[in-house]
Amino acid sequence: VQGFTEFADPNSEVPAGQQFDLNAILQKTKAQNQDRERNEPVAKLVQLRGTGRVHVRQVELSASSLNDSNVFVLDDLTTIWTWHGKKSSRLEKATGLDVATRINRQYHGTRLEQIQVQSDQEPEAFWQAIGGQKPLAPLSAG
């Protein structure tokens, strides 16, 4: 991935050209996810939010970080999970799939299975990967 990646909804009133530097996010995530003493990768959770503009940021790896307004990508080092909140936008969902694919390609050589899950339809393996089922964050938190 080079430079900025643009994601804009052509039906949105927000002007095109929303940009985020996925390379910078992935590099920061990669640096954060290296255990300094053992140099081992760790799991991460990334939030995608926005309807006309999608913002991507790493959040605390906990089920309590999830909310039904957004999409989240969970890399548990064995599977890449893309979780769709009930009120997440089509653009967030599409961007989430792209981010999950890029993480898989860049950090795992596309070896990991990618699974998309909907809010209230999560398999037990998802809850185990995120550290246990907890109440979702309020919609206003997204």
Side-chain angles (χ1 to χ4, degrees), residues 1-7 20-27 44 48 56 73 75 80 82 94-111 114:
V1 181
Q2 295 182 351
F4 286 90
T5 304
E6 295 186 19
F7 294 94
F20 65 91
D21 188 348
L22 186 57
N23 275 337
I25 293 167
L26 292 176
Q27 289 301 331
K44 61 187 155 290
L48 296 94
V56 179
V73 176
D75 174 3
I80 306 288
T82 304
T95 306
L97 179 61
D98 183 54
V99 169
T101 300
R102 291 174 188 217
I103 289 171
N104 196 8
R105 185 178 336 133
Q106 185 166 345
Y107 294 100
H108 307 291
T110 64
R111 294 183 307 269
Q114 289 183 223

PDB file of all heavy atoms in Angstrom, residues 1-7 20-27 44 48 56 73 75 80 82 94-111 114:
ATOM      1  N   VAL A   1       0.854  -1.161   0.000  1.00  0.00           N
ATOM      2  CA  VAL A   1       0.000   0.000   0.000  1.00  0.00           C
ATOM      3  C   VAL A   1       0.901   1.224   0.000  1.00  0.00           C
ATOM      4  O   VAL A   1       1.779   1.326   0.832  1.00  0.00           O
ATOM      5  CB  VAL A   1      -0.898   0.022   1.251  1.00  0.00           C
ATOM      6  CG1 VAL A   1      -1.794   1.220   1.247  1.00  0.00           C
ATOM      7  CG2 VAL A   1      -1.669  -1.247   1.359  1.00  0.00           C
ATOM      8  N   GLN A   2       0.667   2.119  -0.918  1.00  0.00           N
ATOM      9  CA  GLN A   2       1.484   3.313  -0.980  1.00  0.00           C
ATOM     10  C   GLN A   2       0.608   4.547  -0.867  1.00  0.00           C
ATOM     11  O   GLN A   2      -0.500   4.567  -1.380  1.00  0.00           O
ATOM     12  CB  GLN A   2       2.268   3.370  -2.279  1.00  0.00           C
ATOM     13  CG  GLN A   2       3.287   2.253  -2.394  1.00  0.00           C
ATOM     14  CD  GLN A   2       4.083   2.375  -3.668  1.00  0.00           C
ATOM     15  OE1 GLN A   2       3.777   3.171  -4.516  1.00  0.00           O
ATOM     16  NE2 GLN A   2       5.113   1.564  -3.782  1.00  0.00           N
ATOM     17  N   GLY A   3       1.117   5.559  -0.196  1.00  0.00           N
ATOM     18  CA  GLY A   3       0.428   6.827  -0.107  1.00  0.00           C
ATOM     19  C   GLY A   3      -0.893   6.733   0.621  1.00  0.00           C
ATOM     20  O   GLY A   3      -1.086   5.914   1.498  1.00  0.00           O
ATOM     21  N   PHE A   4      -1.807   7.579   0.216  1.00  0.00           N
ATOM     22  CA  PHE A   4      -3.118   7.636   0.840  1.00  0.00           C
ATOM     23  C   PHE A   4      -4.094   6.769   0.073  1.00  0.00           C
ATOM     24  O   PHE A   4      -4.006   6.641  -1.137  1.00  0.00           O
ATOM     25  CB  PHE A   4      -3.640   9.068   0.876  1.00  0.00           C
ATOM     26  CG  PHE A   4      -2.977   9.925   1.893  1.00  0.00           C
ATOM     27  CD1 PHE A   4      -1.852  10.658   1.589  1.00  0.00           C
ATOM     28  CD2 PHE A   4      -3.467   9.993   3.183  1.00  0.00           C
ATOM     29  CE1 PHE A   4      -1.243  11.455   2.528  1.00  0.00           C
ATOM     30  CE2 PHE A   4      -2.871  10.791   4.134  1.00  0.00           C
ATOM     31  CZ  PHE A   4      -1.756  11.523   3.810  1.00  0.00           C
ATOM     32  N   THR A   5      -5.050   6.216   0.792  1.00  0.00           N
ATOM     33  CA  THR A   5      -6.138   5.476   0.177  1.00  0.00           C
ATOM     34  C   THR A   5      -7.397   6.286   0.363  1.00  0.00           C
ATOM     35  O   THR A   5      -7.672   6.766   1.453  1.00  0.00           O
ATOM     36  CB  THR A   5      -6.305   4.097   0.842  1.00  0.00           C
ATOM     37  OG1 THR A   5      -5.059   3.422   0.752  1.00  0.00           O
ATOM     38  CG2 THR A   5      -7.373   3.285   0.162  1.00  0.00           C
ATOM     39  N   GLU A   6      -8.178   6.450  -0.693  1.00  0.00           N
ATOM     40  CA  GLU A   6      -9.395   7.237  -0.609  1.00  0.00           C
ATOM     41  C   GLU A   6     -10.608   6.333  -0.581  1.00  0.00           C
ATOM     42  O   GLU A   6     -10.678   5.355  -1.306  1.00  0.00           O
ATOM     43  CB  GLU A   6      -9.517   8.169  -1.814  1.00  0.00           C
ATOM     44  CG  GLU A   6      -8.444   9.225  -1.861  1.00  0.00           C
ATOM     45  CD  GLU A   6      -8.683  10.217  -2.979  1.00  0.00           C
ATOM     46  OE1 GLU A   6      -9.812  10.306  -3.469  1.00  0.00           O
ATOM     47  OE2 GLU A   6      -7.719  10.895  -3.347  1.00  0.00           O
ATOM     48  N   PHE A   7     -11.563   6.680   0.261  1.00  0.00           N
ATOM     49  CA  PHE A   7     -12.846   6.007   0.309  1.00  0.00           C
ATOM     50  C   PHE A   7     -13.892   7.102   0.411  1.00  0.00           C
ATOM     51  O   PHE A   7     -13.897   7.856   1.367  1.00  0.00           O
ATOM     52  CB  PHE A   7     -12.962   5.077   1.522  1.00  0.00           C
ATOM     53  CG  PHE A   7     -12.029   3.922   1.456  1.00  0.00           C
ATOM     54  CD1 PHE A   7     -10.789   3.975   2.064  1.00  0.00           C
ATOM     55  CD2 PHE A   7     -12.362   2.789   0.750  1.00  0.00           C
ATOM     56  CE1 PHE A   7      -9.915   2.924   1.995  1.00  0.00           C
ATOM     57  CE2 PHE A   7     -11.506   1.727   0.684  1.00  0.00           C
ATOM     58  CZ  PHE A   7     -10.268   1.789   1.302  1.00  0.00           C
ATOM     59  N   PHE A  20      -7.142   8.635   4.399  1.00  0.00           N
ATOM     60  CA  PHE A  20      -6.413   8.205   5.573  1.00  0.00           C
ATOM     61  C   PHE A  20      -5.206   7.454   5.079  1.00  0.00           C
ATOM     62  O   PHE A  20      -5.224   6.853   4.015  1.00  0.00           O
ATOM     63  CB  PHE A  20      -7.251   7.363   6.539  1.00  0.00           C
ATOM     64  CG  PHE A  20      -7.708   6.044   5.988  1.00  0.00           C
ATOM     65  CD1 PHE A  20      -6.939   4.904   6.152  1.00  0.00           C
ATOM     66  CD2 PHE A  20      -8.913   5.925   5.319  1.00  0.00           C
ATOM     67  CE1 PHE A  20      -7.353   3.687   5.664  1.00  0.00           C
ATOM     68  CE2 PHE A  20      -9.329   4.717   4.831  1.00  0.00           C
ATOM     69  CZ  PHE A  20      -8.554   3.590   4.991  1.00  0.00           C
ATOM     70  N   ASP A  21      -4.149   7.529   5.811  1.00  0.00           N
ATOM     71  CA  ASP A  21      -2.906   6.892   5.415  1.00  0.00           C
ATOM     72  C   ASP A  21      -2.848   5.517   6.062  1.00  0.00           C
ATOM     73  O   ASP A  21      -2.425   5.380   7.200  1.00  0.00           O
ATOM     74  CB  ASP A  21      -1.726   7.759   5.836  1.00  0.00           C
ATOM     75  CG  ASP A  21      -0.407   7.254   5.284  1.00  0.00           C
ATOM     76  OD1 ASP A  21      -0.368   6.118   4.764  1.00  0.00           O
ATOM     77  OD2 ASP A  21       0.574   7.989   5.369  1.00  0.00           O
ATOM     78  N   LEU A  22      -3.321   4.507   5.326  1.00  0.00           N
ATOM     79  CA  LEU A  22      -3.364   3.152   5.857  1.00  0.00           C
ATOM     80  C   LEU A  22      -1.962   2.651   6.170  1.00  0.00           C
ATOM     81  O   LEU A  22      -1.763   1.935   7.146  1.00  0.00           O
ATOM     82  CB  LEU A  22      -4.068   2.211   4.880  1.00  0.00           C
ATOM     83  CG  LEU A  22      -4.312   0.793   5.372  1.00  0.00           C
ATOM     84  CD1 LEU A  22      -5.118   0.795   6.662  1.00  0.00           C
ATOM     85  CD2 LEU A  22      -5.018  -0.021   4.313  1.00  0.00           C
ATOM     86  N   ASN A  23      -0.980   3.039   5.370  1.00  0.00           N
ATOM     87  CA  ASN A  23       0.398   2.640   5.677  1.00  0.00           C
ATOM     88  C   ASN A  23       0.822   3.126   7.048  1.00  0.00           C
ATOM     89  O   ASN A  23       1.421   2.385   7.824  1.00  0.00           O
ATOM     90  CB  ASN A  23       1.369   3.194   4.622  1.00  0.00           C
ATOM     91  CG  ASN A  23       1.467   2.304   3.418  1.00  0.00           C
ATOM     92  OD1 ASN A  23       1.185   1.117   3.496  1.00  0.00           O
ATOM     93  ND2 ASN A  23       1.857   2.885   2.299  1.00  0.00           N
ATOM     94  N   ALA A  24       0.507   4.376   7.361  1.00  0.00           N
ATOM     95  CA  ALA A  24       0.887   4.928   8.665  1.00  0.00           C
ATOM     96  C   ALA A  24       0.186   4.180   9.787  1.00  0.00           C
ATOM     97  O   ALA A  24       0.791   3.871  10.812  1.00  0.00           O
ATOM     98  CB  ALA A  24       0.566   6.421   8.729  1.00  0.00           C
ATOM     99  N   ILE A  25      -1.093   3.877   9.593  1.00  0.00           N
ATOM    100  CA  ILE A  25      -1.847   3.140  10.612  1.00  0.00           C
ATOM    101  C   ILE A  25      -1.260   1.751  10.795  1.00  0.00           C
ATOM    102  O   ILE A  25      -1.045   1.290  11.913  1.00  0.00           O
ATOM    103  CB  ILE A  25      -3.335   3.060  10.239  1.00  0.00           C
ATOM    104  CG1 ILE A  25      -3.961   4.455  10.298  1.00  0.00           C
ATOM    105  CG2 ILE A  25      -4.082   2.082  11.147  1.00  0.00           C
ATOM    106  CD1 ILE A  25      -5.321   4.549   9.663  1.00  0.00           C
ATOM    107  N   LEU A  26      -0.986   1.058   9.677  1.00  0.00           N
ATOM    108  CA  LEU A  26      -0.453  -0.300   9.775  1.00  0.00           C
ATOM    109  C   LEU A  26       0.946  -0.297  10.364  1.00  0.00           C
ATOM    110  O   LEU A  26       1.291  -1.183  11.149  1.00  0.00           O
ATOM    111  CB  LEU A  26      -0.459  -0.975   8.407  1.00  0.00           C
ATOM    112  CG  LEU A  26      -1.847  -1.278   7.838  1.00  0.00           C
ATOM    113  CD1 LEU A  26      -1.728  -1.856   6.432  1.00  0.00           C
ATOM    114  CD2 LEU A  26      -2.628  -2.221   8.736  1.00  0.00           C
ATOM    115  N   GLN A  27       1.780   0.693  10.006  1.00  0.00           N
ATOM    116  CA  GLN A  27       3.123   0.762  10.583  1.00  0.00           C
ATOM    117  C   GLN A  27       3.056   1.015  12.084  1.00  0.00           C
ATOM    118  O   GLN A  27       3.781   0.407  12.858  1.00  0.00           O
ATOM    119  CB  GLN A  27       3.947   1.847   9.888  1.00  0.00           C
ATOM    120  CG  GLN A  27       4.337   1.498   8.472  1.00  0.00           C
ATOM    121  CD  GLN A  27       5.157   0.229   8.381  1.00  0.00           C
ATOM    122  OE1 GLN A  27       5.887  -0.151   9.300  1.00  0.00           O
ATOM    123  NE2 GLN A  27       5.033  -0.477   7.272  1.00  0.00           N
ATOM    124  N   LYS A  44      -4.817  -7.394  17.679  1.00  0.00           N
ATOM    125  CA  LYS A  44      -5.203  -5.988  17.638  1.00  0.00           C
ATOM    126  C   LYS A  44      -6.646  -5.855  17.174  1.00  0.00           C
ATOM    127  O   LYS A  44      -7.185  -6.717  16.488  1.00  0.00           O
ATOM    128  CB  LYS A  44      -4.280  -5.194  16.728  1.00  0.00           C
ATOM    129  CG  LYS A  44      -4.293  -5.648  15.283  1.00  0.00           C
ATOM    130  CD  LYS A  44      -3.229  -4.915  14.488  1.00  0.00           C
ATOM    131  CE  LYS A  44      -2.786  -5.688  13.285  1.00  0.00           C
ATOM    132  NZ  LYS A  44      -2.033  -6.864  13.544  1.00  0.00           N
ATOM    133  N   LEU A  48     -13.466   1.236  12.454  1.00  0.00           N
ATOM    134  CA  LEU A  48     -13.733   2.031  11.261  1.00  0.00           C
ATOM    135  C   LEU A  48     -15.042   2.751  11.484  1.00  0.00           C
ATOM    136  O   LEU A  48     -16.058   2.104  11.778  1.00  0.00           O
ATOM    137  CB  LEU A  48     -13.836   1.140  10.024  1.00  0.00           C
ATOM    138  CG  LEU A  48     -12.538   0.403   9.679  1.00  0.00           C
ATOM    139  CD1 LEU A  48     -12.530  -0.968  10.303  1.00  0.00           C
ATOM    140  CD2 LEU A  48     -12.387   0.322   8.192  1.00  0.00           C
ATOM    141  N   VAL A  56     -10.096   5.424  10.560  1.00  0.00           N
ATOM    142  CA  VAL A  56      -9.585   4.134  11.025  1.00  0.00           C
ATOM    143  C   VAL A  56      -8.634   4.387  12.174  1.00  0.00           C
ATOM    144  O   VAL A  56      -7.735   5.223  12.069  1.00  0.00           O
ATOM    145  CB  VAL A  56      -8.841   3.401   9.876  1.00  0.00           C
ATOM    146  CG1 VAL A  56      -8.290   2.069  10.340  1.00  0.00           C
ATOM    147  CG2 VAL A  56      -9.757   3.210   8.674  1.00  0.00           C
ATOM    148  N   VAL A  73     -12.256  -4.468  12.884  1.00  0.00           N
ATOM    149  CA  VAL A  73     -11.445  -5.553  12.350  1.00  0.00           C
ATOM    150  C   VAL A  73     -10.587  -6.077  13.491  1.00  0.00           C
ATOM    151  O   VAL A  73      -9.846  -5.314  14.121  1.00  0.00           O
ATOM    152  CB  VAL A  73     -10.565  -5.090  11.168  1.00  0.00           C
ATOM    153  CG1 VAL A  73      -9.651  -6.216  10.694  1.00  0.00           C
ATOM    154  CG2 VAL A  73     -11.437  -4.581  10.023  1.00  0.00           C
ATOM    155  N   ASP A  75      -7.695  -8.782  14.486  1.00  0.00           N
ATOM    156  CA  ASP A  75      -6.630  -9.696  14.065  1.00  0.00           C
ATOM    157  C   ASP A  75      -6.185 -10.429  15.317  1.00  0.00           C
ATOM    158  O   ASP A  75      -5.506  -9.862  16.169  1.00  0.00           O
ATOM    159  CB  ASP A  75      -5.482  -8.909  13.448  1.00  0.00           C
ATOM    160  CG  ASP A  75      -4.270  -9.775  13.116  1.00  0.00           C
ATOM    161  OD1 ASP A  75      -4.324 -11.010  13.307  1.00  0.00           O
ATOM    162  OD2 ASP A  75      -3.263  -9.198  12.664  1.00  0.00           O
ATOM    163  N   ILE A  80      -8.710 -13.299  10.809  1.00  0.00           N
ATOM    164  CA  ILE A  80      -9.032 -11.880  10.706  1.00  0.00           C
ATOM    165  C   ILE A  80     -10.553 -11.782  10.705  1.00  0.00           C
ATOM    166  O   ILE A  80     -11.217 -12.271   9.795  1.00  0.00           O
ATOM    167  CB  ILE A  80      -8.479 -11.242   9.408  1.00  0.00           C
ATOM    168  CG1 ILE A  80      -6.978 -11.478   9.244  1.00  0.00           C
ATOM    169  CG2 ILE A  80      -8.836  -9.759   9.351  1.00  0.00           C
ATOM    170  CD1 ILE A  80      -6.101 -10.697  10.161  1.00  0.00           C
ATOM    171  N   THR A  82     -13.998  -9.486  10.693  1.00  0.00           N
ATOM    172  CA  THR A  82     -14.572  -8.180  10.397  1.00  0.00           C
ATOM    173  C   THR A  82     -15.976  -8.191  10.986  1.00  0.00           C
ATOM    174  O   THR A  82     -16.835  -8.949  10.542  1.00  0.00           O
ATOM    175  CB  THR A  82     -14.611  -7.903   8.884  1.00  0.00           C
ATOM    176  OG1 THR A  82     -13.288  -8.029   8.361  1.00  0.00           O
ATOM    177  CG2 THR A  82     -15.118  -6.501   8.601  1.00  0.00           C
ATOM    178  N   ALA A  94     -17.484  -1.923   3.511  1.00  0.00           N
ATOM    179  CA  ALA A  94     -16.567  -2.121   2.385  1.00  0.00           C
ATOM    180  C   ALA A  94     -15.130  -1.782   2.783  1.00  0.00           C
ATOM    181  O   ALA A  94     -14.189  -2.511   2.447  1.00  0.00           O
ATOM    182  CB  ALA A  94     -17.007  -1.262   1.204  1.00  0.00           C
ATOM    183  N   THR A  95     -14.962  -0.691   3.522  1.00  0.00           N
ATOM    184  CA  THR A  95     -13.631  -0.293   3.968  1.00  0.00           C
ATOM    185  C   THR A  95     -13.071  -1.323   4.950  1.00  0.00           C
ATOM    186  O   THR A  95     -11.884  -1.641   4.919  1.00  0.00           O
ATOM    187  CB  THR A  95     -13.670   1.107   4.617  1.00  0.00           C
ATOM    188  OG1 THR A  95     -14.268   2.024   3.704  1.00  0.00           O
ATOM    189  CG2 THR A  95     -12.267   1.588   4.962  1.00  0.00           C
ATOM    190  N   GLY A  96     -13.943  -1.864   5.813  1.00  0.00           N
ATOM    191  CA  GLY A  96     -13.513  -2.893   6.757  1.00  0.00           C
ATOM    192  C   GLY A  96     -12.967  -4.126   6.050  1.00  0.00           C
ATOM    193  O   GLY A  96     -11.940  -4.684   6.445  1.00  0.00           O
ATOM    194  N   LEU A  97     -13.625  -4.541   4.987  1.00  0.00           N
ATOM    195  CA  LEU A  97     -13.149  -5.692   4.217  1.00  0.00           C
ATOM    196  C   LEU A  97     -11.793  -5.385   3.597  1.00  0.00           C
ATOM    197  O   LEU A  97     -10.880  -6.222   3.620  1.00  0.00           O
ATOM    198  CB  LEU A  97     -14.168  -6.062   3.143  1.00  0.00           C
ATOM    199  CG  LEU A  97     -13.798  -7.237   2.253  1.00  0.00           C
ATOM    200  CD1 LEU A  97     -13.615  -8.513   3.071  1.00  0.00           C
ATOM    201  CD2 LEU A  97     -14.870  -7.438   1.189  1.00  0.00           C
ATOM    202  N   ASP A  98     -11.635  -4.175   3.083  1.00  0.00           N
ATOM    203  CA  ASP A  98     -10.355  -3.773   2.488  1.00  0.00           C
ATOM    204  C   ASP A  98      -9.246  -3.741   3.530  1.00  0.00           C
ATOM    205  O   ASP A  98      -8.151  -4.258   3.307  1.00  0.00           O
ATOM    206  CB  ASP A  98     -10.500  -2.410   1.814  1.00  0.00           C
ATOM    207  CG  ASP A  98      -9.225  -1.986   1.113  1.00  0.00           C
ATOM    208  OD1 ASP A  98      -8.720  -2.763   0.273  1.00  0.00           O
ATOM    209  OD2 ASP A  98      -8.739  -0.870   1.400  1.00  0.00           O
ATOM    210  N   VAL A  99      -9.522  -3.162   4.695  1.00  0.00           N
ATOM    211  CA  VAL A  99      -8.515  -3.090   5.757  1.00  0.00           C
ATOM    212  C   VAL A  99      -8.143  -4.497   6.232  1.00  0.00           C
ATOM    213  O   VAL A  99      -6.970  -4.816   6.415  1.00  0.00           O
ATOM    214  CB  VAL A  99      -9.004  -2.208   6.928  1.00  0.00           C
ATOM    215  CG1 VAL A  99      -8.104  -2.346   8.147  1.00  0.00           C
ATOM    216  CG2 VAL A  99      -9.087  -0.755   6.484  1.00  0.00           C
ATOM    217  N   ALA A 100      -9.134  -5.362   6.411  1.00  0.00           N
ATOM    218  CA  ALA A 100      -8.867  -6.742   6.840  1.00  0.00           C
ATOM    219  C   ALA A 100      -7.976  -7.463   5.827  1.00  0.00           C
ATOM    220  O   ALA A 100      -7.027  -8.166   6.201  1.00  0.00           O
ATOM    221  CB  ALA A 100     -10.183  -7.498   7.020  1.00  0.00           C
ATOM    222  N   THR A 101      -8.263  -7.277   4.546  1.00  0.00           N
ATOM    223  CA  THR A 101      -7.468  -7.915   3.498  1.00  0.00           C
ATOM    224  C   THR A 101      -6.038  -7.393   3.502  1.00  0.00           C
ATOM    225  O   THR A 101      -5.085  -8.167   3.372  1.00  0.00           O
ATOM    226  CB  THR A 101      -8.128  -7.686   2.120  1.00  0.00           C
ATOM    227  OG1 THR A 101      -9.442  -8.252   2.153  1.00  0.00           O
ATOM    228  CG2 THR A 101      -7.325  -8.323   1.001  1.00  0.00           C
ATOM    229  N   ARG A 102      -5.886  -6.085   3.689  1.00  0.00           N
ATOM    230  CA  ARG A 102      -4.540  -5.497   3.718  1.00  0.00           C
ATOM    231  C   ARG A 102      -3.744  -5.963   4.930  1.00  0.00           C
ATOM    232  O   ARG A 102      -2.549  -6.238   4.837  1.00  0.00           O
ATOM    233  CB  ARG A 102      -4.623  -3.979   3.692  1.00  0.00           C
ATOM    234  CG  ARG A 102      -5.117  -3.459   2.360  1.00  0.00           C
ATOM    235  CD  ARG A 102      -5.320  -1.974   2.398  1.00  0.00           C
ATOM    236  NE  ARG A 102      -5.964  -1.517   1.185  1.00  0.00           N
ATOM    237  CZ  ARG A 102      -5.675  -0.367   0.599  1.00  0.00           C
ATOM    238  NH1 ARG A 102      -4.778   0.434   1.117  1.00  0.00           N
ATOM    239  NH2 ARG A 102      -6.309  -0.020  -0.494  1.00  0.00           N
ATOM    240  N   ILE A 103      -4.379  -6.029   6.084  1.00  0.00           N
ATOM    241  CA  ILE A 103      -3.700  -6.537   7.281  1.00  0.00           C
ATOM    242  C   ILE A 103      -3.270  -7.976   7.051  1.00  0.00           C
ATOM    243  O   ILE A 103      -2.140  -8.365   7.358  1.00  0.00           O
ATOM    244  CB  ILE A 103      -4.609  -6.416   8.527  1.00  0.00           C
ATOM    245  CG1 ILE A 103      -4.760  -4.950   8.934  1.00  0.00           C
ATOM    246  CG2 ILE A 103      -4.048  -7.242   9.691  1.00  0.00           C
ATOM    247  CD1 ILE A 103      -5.801  -4.717  10.016  1.00  0.00           C
ATOM    248  N   ASN A 104      -4.157  -8.784   6.505  1.00  0.00           N
ATOM    249  CA  ASN A 104      -3.854 -10.188   6.245  1.00  0.00           C
ATOM    250  C   ASN A 104      -2.671 -10.307   5.279  1.00  0.00           C
ATOM    251  O   ASN A 104      -1.747 -11.089   5.510  1.00  0.00           O
ATOM    252  CB  ASN A 104      -5.088 -10.906   5.691  1.00  0.00           C
ATOM    253  CG  ASN A 104      -4.971 -12.408   5.753  1.00  0.00           C
ATOM    254  OD1 ASN A 104      -4.045 -12.965   6.329  1.00  0.00           O
ATOM    255  ND2 ASN A 104      -5.928 -13.075   5.156  1.00  0.00           N
ATOM    256  N   ARG A 105      -2.683  -9.533   4.231  1.00  0.00           N
ATOM    257  CA  ARG A 105      -1.616  -9.592   3.221  1.00  0.00           C
ATOM    258  C   ARG A 105      -0.295  -9.095   3.798  1.00  0.00           C
ATOM    259  O   ARG A 105       0.744  -9.738   3.645  1.00  0.00           O
ATOM    260  CB  ARG A 105      -2.007  -8.763   2.005  1.00  0.00           C
ATOM    261  CG  ARG A 105      -1.026  -8.867   0.866  1.00  0.00           C
ATOM    262  CD  ARG A 105      -1.430  -8.082  -0.375  1.00  0.00           C
ATOM    263  NE  ARG A 105      -2.848  -7.852  -0.483  1.00  0.00           N
ATOM    264  CZ  ARG A 105      -3.394  -6.676  -0.768  1.00  0.00           C
ATOM    265  NH1 ARG A 105      -2.652  -5.619  -0.980  1.00  0.00           N
ATOM    266  NH2 ARG A 105      -4.703  -6.533  -0.850  1.00  0.00           N
ATOM    267  N   GLN A 106      -0.327  -7.947   4.480  1.00  0.00           N
ATOM    268  CA  GLN A 106       0.911  -7.326   4.946  1.00  0.00           C
ATOM    269  C   GLN A 106       1.553  -8.060   6.119  1.00  0.00           C
ATOM    270  O   GLN A 106       2.761  -8.159   6.204  1.00  0.00           O
ATOM    271  CB  GLN A 106       0.654  -5.875   5.325  1.00  0.00           C
ATOM    272  CG  GLN A 106       1.933  -5.141   5.707  1.00  0.00           C
ATOM    273  CD  GLN A 106       1.750  -3.640   5.747  1.00  0.00           C
ATOM    274  OE1 GLN A 106       0.776  -3.107   5.242  1.00  0.00           O
ATOM    275  NE2 GLN A 106       2.699  -2.951   6.352  1.00  0.00           N
ATOM    276  N   TYR A 107       0.736  -8.564   7.049  1.00  0.00           N
ATOM    277  CA  TYR A 107       1.293  -9.159   8.265  1.00  0.00           C
ATOM    278  C   TYR A 107       1.280 -10.677   8.279  1.00  0.00           C
ATOM    279  O   TYR A 107       1.998 -11.280   9.067  1.00  0.00           O
ATOM    280  CB  TYR A 107       0.534  -8.637   9.498  1.00  0.00           C
ATOM    281  CG  TYR A 107       0.767  -7.167   9.692  1.00  0.00           C
ATOM    282  CD1 TYR A 107      -0.175  -6.244   9.280  1.00  0.00           C
ATOM    283  CD2 TYR A 107       1.942  -6.703  10.248  1.00  0.00           C
ATOM    284  CE1 TYR A 107       0.043  -4.893   9.422  1.00  0.00           C
ATOM    285  CE2 TYR A 107       2.173  -5.356  10.395  1.00  0.00           C
ATOM    286  CZ  TYR A 107       1.222  -4.450   9.984  1.00  0.00           C
ATOM    287  OH  TYR A 107       1.452  -3.113  10.126  1.00  0.00           O
ATOM    288  N   HIS A 108       0.461 -11.281   7.444  1.00  0.00           N
ATOM    289  CA  HIS A 108       0.318 -12.731   7.517  1.00  0.00           C
ATOM    290  C   HIS A 108       0.487 -13.415   6.170  1.00  0.00           C
ATOM    291  O   HIS A 108       0.242 -14.617   6.060  1.00  0.00           O
ATOM    292  CB  HIS A 108      -1.050 -13.091   8.105  1.00  0.00           C
ATOM    293  CG  HIS A 108      -1.320 -12.422   9.417  1.00  0.00           C
ATOM    294  ND1 HIS A 108      -0.631 -12.739  10.572  1.00  0.00           N
ATOM    295  CD2 HIS A 108      -2.183 -11.423   9.752  1.00  0.00           C
ATOM    296  CE1 HIS A 108      -1.067 -11.972  11.566  1.00  0.00           C
ATOM    297  NE2 HIS A 108      -1.999 -11.167  11.096  1.00  0.00           N
ATOM    298  N   GLY A 109       0.860 -12.675   5.140  1.00  0.00           N
ATOM    299  CA  GLY A 109       1.055 -13.273   3.825  1.00  0.00           C
ATOM    300  C   GLY A 109      -0.204 -13.931   3.279  1.00  0.00           C
ATOM    301  O   GLY A 109      -0.123 -14.937   2.584  1.00  0.00           O
ATOM    302  N   THR A 110      -1.359 -13.387   3.611  1.00  0.00           N
ATOM    303  CA  THR A 110      -2.700 -13.886   3.234  1.00  0.00           C
ATOM    304  C   THR A 110      -2.951 -15.320   3.706  1.00  0.00           C
ATOM    305  O   THR A 110      -3.774 -16.033   3.148  1.00  0.00           O
ATOM    306  CB  THR A 110      -2.972 -13.772   1.708  1.00  0.00           C
ATOM    307  OG1 THR A 110      -2.071 -14.604   1.005  1.00  0.00           O
ATOM    308  CG2 THR A 110      -2.886 -12.352   1.227  1.00  0.00           C
ATOM    309  N   ARG A 111      -2.276 -15.744   4.759  1.00  0.00           N
ATOM    310  CA  ARG A 111      -2.447 -17.106   5.268  1.00  0.00           C
ATOM    311  C   ARG A 111      -3.661 -17.273   6.176  1.00  0.00           C
ATOM    312  O   ARG A 111      -4.136 -18.382   6.371  1.00  0.00           O
ATOM    313  CB  ARG A 111      -1.200 -17.546   6.044  1.00  0.00           C
ATOM    314  CG  ARG A 111       0.041 -17.686   5.208  1.00  0.00           C
ATOM    315  CD  ARG A 111       1.222 -18.196   6.029  1.00  0.00           C
ATOM    316  NE  ARG A 111       1.461 -17.397   7.210  1.00  0.00           N
ATOM    317  CZ  ARG A 111       2.279 -16.350   7.277  1.00  0.00           C
ATOM    318  NH1 ARG A 111       2.930 -15.964   6.222  1.00  0.00           N
ATOM    319  NH2 ARG A 111       2.453 -15.693   8.401  1.00  0.00           N
ATOM    320  N   GLN A 114     -10.310 -15.090   6.691  1.00  0.00           N
ATOM    321  CA  GLN A 114     -11.029 -13.858   6.981  1.00  0.00           C
ATOM    322  C   GLN A 114     -12.503 -14.194   7.118  1.00  0.00           C
ATOM    323  O   GLN A 114     -13.086 -14.822   6.249  1.00  0.00           O
ATOM    324  CB  GLN A 114     -10.832 -12.838   5.861  1.00  0.00           C
ATOM    325  CG  GLN A 114      -9.432 -12.278   5.827  1.00  0.00           C
ATOM    326  CD  GLN A 114      -9.250 -11.213   4.768  1.00  0.00           C
ATOM    327  OE1 GLN A 114      -8.254 -11.223   4.087  1.00  0.00           O
ATOM    328  NE2 GLN A 114     -10.199 -10.299   4.626  1.00  0.00           N
TER     329      GLN A 114
END
